[in-house]
Amino acid sequence: MRTTRISFTQLATVVLFGTHAIGALADASGPAGTAALAPSAAEPATPWKVAFGPGLIVTPQYPGSHELRYIPYPALDISWNDRVFSQGPDVLGLNVLRGENYHVGTSISLDFQSRQEKDDPHLHGLGDVDSSAKLKVFADYTVWAFTGSIALYQDISGHGQGKYVTTDLYASLPAGGWLFSFGPGFTWADALYTRTFFGVSERQSAASGLPAYNTSSGIRDVHLNGYASYDISRHWVASVAVTLGRLQHYAGGSPITERRSELNTLASVNYRF
């Protein structure tokens, strides 16, 4: 039976949203993207894959918000020899180990998760949380049509976002020019992350009127990922990734949280060289 395997760039697009059931993608999709067409027999093989185009992120205004924000961004997908890449929020990454069915690597990744008091009167007195750069360590493995992945994100900007780990499982199905992937996942966050985004200290309680709320490490959310891409032509491809999540434990019970359900969406149209 023919093996159906989701490509690394496609997987990363979905993973980014598995992660960003954690807040926002982000992954503008990281590694962003879209799968490249296989070169025809008449074309010389090249280790480079380059694609870019407009993209749009739809994500909660802040973790636990009932409002959405819309972020246009340039959807980049650049890689060399499936080794070095710059894709979506992964500004620079390296597949340290790679094979036909697996990748293990690291990257410096931008993260859209943030919170500003001006975003919502509900946040008055809580202070701002700036977006941050993350050190990302990831691994994925594919068996037939199923891909398992895990990624750890560590705040390296000193903005109190701690670390979180997202784990996902995907089933992939190609159909003509389409590729579909879907599957469940969950996100674990450490005590620093949950305290920053969902905790309310005594000082914050006095300033905001919200009750004090202590947090610790635990499951942040459970989520379901969906991804679809379509090869419009030899050079153009469109894709959309959607994550539906549900905040759990400290995140779900926080007085800061106005909505436990989360919707994160990334759509892009890329031109491939």
Side-chain angles (χ1 to χ4, degrees):
M1 180 175 292
R2 178 179 178 273
T3 297
T4 299
R5 182 172 182 271
I6 185 171
S7 74
F8 178 56
T9 53
Q10 293 161 336
L11 169 69
T13 302
V14 188
V15 169
L16 163 65
F17 277 87
T19 307
H20 280 53
I22 208 170
L25 39 141
D27 85 188
S29 154
T34 50
L37 289 175
S40 69
E43 296 176 325
T46 172
W48 285 99
K49 293 182 179 179
V50 180
F52 70 89
L56 178 68
I57 298 168
V58 182
T59 189
Q61 185 75 20
Y62 56 88
S65 174
H66 68 284
E67 298 289 342
L68 296 174
R69 59 175 168 162
Y70 302 84
I71 307 170
Y73 82 103
L76 298 178
D77 184 354
I78 303 171
S79 65
W80 177 80
N81 202 33
D82 196 26
R83 176 70 74 179
V84 181
F85 59 86
S86 178
Q87 298 163 319
D90 289 343
V91 177
L92 181 62
L94 174 67
N95 288 317
V96 179
L97 301 173
R98 75 198 196 288
E100 179 64 24
N101 297 315
Y102 66 89
H103 296 84
V104 178
T106 186
S107 68
I108 301 299
S109 182
L110 300 180
D111 194 329
F112 288 85
Q113 291 185 93
S114 63
R115 189 181 70 206
Q116 306 294 318
E117 286 193 3
K118 63 181 177 60
D119 290 343
D120 192 319
H122 178 66
L123 302 176
H124 178 72
L126 296 178
D128 296 341
V129 180
D130 293 328
S131 57
S132 70
K134 299 289 198 301
L135 174 64
K136 175 183 174 183
V137 179
F138 61 86
D140 66 76
Y141 190 82
T142 298
V143 177
W144 192 57
F146 301 97
T147 298
S149 70
I150 185 168
L152 179 147
Y153 293 79
Q154 171 66 57
D155 178 15
I156 57 175
S157 298
H159 293 162
Q161 295 200 24
K163 68 174 66 70
Y164 55 85
V165 178
T166 182
T167 302
D168 295 279
L169 177 66
Y170 307 94
S172 302
L173 174 68
W178 290 90
L179 175 72
F180 301 96
S181 296
F182 61 92
F186 69 91
T187 304
W188 173 92
D190 72 356
L192 179 56
Y193 174 92
T194 60
R195 182 166 64 248
T196 295
F197 280 110
F198 300 104
V200 181
S201 67
E202 295 291 344
R203 179 183 59 80
Q204 289 174 318
S205 176
S208 67
L210 295 175
Y213 185 73
N214 295 320
T215 67
S216 187
S217 60
I219 300 299
R220 180 200 183 276
D221 65 76
V222 294
H223 51 262
L224 181 65
N225 303 304
Y227 172 80
S229 69
Y230 179 68
D231 292 326
I232 300 170
S233 68
R234 180 174 177 275
H235 290 289
W236 288 98
V237 61
S239 66
V240 61
V242 178
T243 292
L244 298 175
R246 177 86 173 164
L247 296 177
Q248 304 292 311
H249 204 24
Y250 297 110
S254 171
I256 297 173
T257 297
E258 296 182 303
R259 177 178 292 172
R260 293 187 64 178
S261 60
E262 287 191 323
L263 170 67
N264 288 281
T265 303
L266 168 72
S268 65
V269 178
N270 279 31
Y271 182 83
R272 300 173 297 202
F273 291 88

